[in-house]
């Protein structure tokens, strides 16, 4: 009702995670809203399955719990954003539109804080090194990809993305126009099959390109 009243087409609904996966595979939605806590299959597992089956879909996670670990786990599952259930109707509709454009719902700096806080700890508890972090939660923030596909400039841009820099900050740091930076970012996403900036930040940590504590200055 909230979304329809704001000009968004709701193509389906599901009572639990299993139904959500089945519906998403059939309907191929642009954006999926998932509750983290659902019967039969939780939202994080559902998100991983939906994104594996319909990679063009974007996922926003909803929860009543404002906990960093839930946010990180959602990003690790491939979600493009995270909202509390008490979000205003206007914010909810705006969030759906935002992630549908290919952007992440969390700012790069917030994403970086979350990844820095949890990626290293999860990797250590799973017995993995910097180059191959398999999380204790059973999730992987971004599948390992061949960074050799990137040019030196693209690798530099990805590193700075991982440190939380915005396009404006990237342009200033690299003495480039914002249009050129956007082109580099788009090529990085295409080569590494990344959905958005949040996943790029996570991959930068997962691959060891950026380490916790690295300065963005």
């Amino acid at each position: 009702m909230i979304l329809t009243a704001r000009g968004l087409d709701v193509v389906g609904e599901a009572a639990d995670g299993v139904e959500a996966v089945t519906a998403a595979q059939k309907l191929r939605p642009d954006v999926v809203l998932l509750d983290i806590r659902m019967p039969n299959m939780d939202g994080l597992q559902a998100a991983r399955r939906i994104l594996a089956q319909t990679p063009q879909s974007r996922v926003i996670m909803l929860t009543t719990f404002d906990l960093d670990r839930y946010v990180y786990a959602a990003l690790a599952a491939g979600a493009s954003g995270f909202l509390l259930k008490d979000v205003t109707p206007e914010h909810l509709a705006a969030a759906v539109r935002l992630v549908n454009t290919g952007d992440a719902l969390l700012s790069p700096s917030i994403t970086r804080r979350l990844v820095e806080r949890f990626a290293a700890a999860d990797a250590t508890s799973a017995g993995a090194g910097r180059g191959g972090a398999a999380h204790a939660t059973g999730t992987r923030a971004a599948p390992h990809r061949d960074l050799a596909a990137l040019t030196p400039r693209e690798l530099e841009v990805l590193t700075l993305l991982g440190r939380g820099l915005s396009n404006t900050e990237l342009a200033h740091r690299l003495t480039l126009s914002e249009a050129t930076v956007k082109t580099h970012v788009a090529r990085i996403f295409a080569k590494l099959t990344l959905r958005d900036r949040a996943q790029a930040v996570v991959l930068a940590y997962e691959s060891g390109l950026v380490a916790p504590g690295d300065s963005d200055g």
Side-chain angles (χ1 to χ4, degrees), residues 2-214:
I2 290 172
L3 297 175
T4 300
R6 284 158 182 80
L8 295 167
D9 295 326
V10 178
V11 297
E13 296 181 57
D16 59 39
V18 174
E19 287 186 16
V21 172
T22 300
Q25 187 173 23
K26 177 182 178 181
L27 299 169
R28 307 262 171 189
D30 296 316
V31 179
V32 180
L33 297 173
L34 288 175
D35 194 337
I36 282 185
R37 294 192 172 185
M38 293 189 292
N40 299 321
M41 181 188 297
D42 66 40
L44 298 175
Q45 187 177 357
R48 288 192 290 273
R49 293 195 181 185
I50 288 171
L51 293 170
Q53 294 172 356
T54 58
Q56 77 281 3
S57 296
R58 311 274 175 176
V59 169
I60 298 176
M61 306 301 302
L62 295 165
T63 186
T64 55
F65 302 95
D66 186 13
L67 298 176
D68 279 357
R69 179 163 290 279
Y70 281 120
V71 182
Y72 177 72
L75 295 177
S80 296
F82 181 95
L83 292 171
L84 295 181
K85 288 183 180 177
D86 61 1
V87 64
T88 65
E90 292 74 19
H91 191 183
L92 178 61
V96 171
R97 290 192 172 95
L98 177 68
V99 300
N100 192 42
T101 66
D103 207 344
L105 192 55
L106 295 172
S107 71
S109 60
I110 292 175
T111 306
R112 178 195 172 193
R113 174 177 64 84
L114 293 169
V115 176
E116 185 164 310
R117 180 173 175 182
F118 293 113
D122 281 353
T124 299
S125 61
R130 281 184 60 185
H135 295 304
T137 55
T139 62
R140 192 179 290 276
H144 290 294
R145 296 169 171 87
D146 186 5
L147 298 184
L150 303 182
T151 66
R153 177 62 91 183
E154 289 166 352
L155 197 62
E156 185 178 16
V157 169
L158 178 58
T159 301
L160 294 176
L161 278 177
R163 293 176 180 171
L165 272 67
S166 66
N167 282 354
T168 300
E169 292 167 333
L170 280 167
H172 178 73
R173 178 72 61 85
L174 300 174
T175 319
L176 299 171
S177 69
E178 284 197 48
T180 300
V181 168
K182 289 179 181 178
T183 298
H184 284 310
V185 172
R187 287 175 178 167
I188 291 168
F189 287 4
K191 288 182 178 181
L192 303 181
T193 60
L194 298 171
R195 294 185 186 90
D196 50 42
R197 298 177 76 92
Q199 203 174 31
V201 173
V202 177
L203 176 62
Y205 278 87
E206 288 282 315
S207 64
L209 197 61
V210 177
D214 281 355

